Amino acid sequence: MKAIRASANVFAYPAEPLQVEPPRDLTAESVADAAALMRSPEIGDADAKVRPDLLAGMPGDVARLIVEAAHEEGVDPNLMLSIARAENGAFDGTAVSGAGAVGIMQMLPETGAAYGAHDLTDPAQNVRAAAKFLKVLVDKYGNPILVAAAYNAGEPKVDLRTSLPLIRETADYVTRVVELYTHAYAPGDIQAVGRARQGFHSNGQRSAASTKASSPARSTMLVFSTNGPGPDGTDAAQQIQPPDGPVKVREEGSQ
């Protein structure tokens, strides 16, 4: 199998670090340059023009809160809108996930409290805390893939190998966020993203978690597939190997 040398890992083997001889012309300066090029300054552009397709179907008061908070905290509003859609496509301020994340931006209570939110069902507090948290992640990683992964799985799991953690939910989530952020979805499909999340409950009532995977919205890009069987009939989740084994990555076409 041929390997491609890159300045960052997308997938990493959890076993012993892979030792690769660097090219002879790879100097310390060129490594630093490559690392700098990896960063996406756009995700810190608080004055970026807000995309109408990301606002479609979003309640006006929620949209204003997100755009204002992103602008004031120094985050690209389109990145924050993409995360909001992936987290809670119904924009239900009382929604609580099975993991205990709350509200519009699905903040964990301990994370919300760390950034000044004491009532995460209050959309204003929820969105403001999320914007402050995202600013920290943007400054730390400067890469939308790692920012989205850390928002979903936590910084320690990303920091372990500076890569996308091999967690089914995180891989699926990062795919949705990056697709939204990079215009990969057709406009008519954007509103379906994140609308059906398993394990949500609202107003104190837990809904039964669906055992059937929701149909993904069509996209022109597929970073990592975890929905449905592969062409050989095996579930894609089975292709994620346990921590003590290698990782199989199957080439996929567009959905």
Side-chain angles (χ1 to χ4, degrees), residues 86 168 172 176 185 191-199 209-218 225-229 235 255:
R168 173 177 176 157
D172 204 29
R176 291 196 301 272
Y185 281 108
Q191 294 186 52
V193 180
R195 192 168 291 277
R197 292 279 309 275
Q198 293 185 9
S210 171
T211 57
K212 182 178 179 182
S214 58
S215 298
R218 295 180 191 179
S225 173
T226 59
N227 285 324
D235 189 281
Q255 290 203 59

Side-chain angles (χ1 to χ4, degrees), residues 99-160:
V102 182
I104 297 295
M105 298 296 295
Q106 288 294 282
M107 296 286 288
L108 289 171
E110 54 270 28
T111 307
Y115 291 96
H118 304 291
D119 179 8
L120 288 174
T121 61
D122 175 4
Q125 291 188 47
N126 188 292
V127 169
R128 179 63 63 170
K132 291 179 178 179
F133 180 41
L134 274 175
K135 173 60 174 174
V136 170
L137 299 181
V138 165
D139 288 345
K140 180 176 181 178
Y141 299 111
N143 180 312
I145 293 176
L146 299 184
V147 168
Y151 192 94
N152 177 264
E155 294 171 74
K157 288 186 173 66
V158 173
D159 293 342
L160 187 63

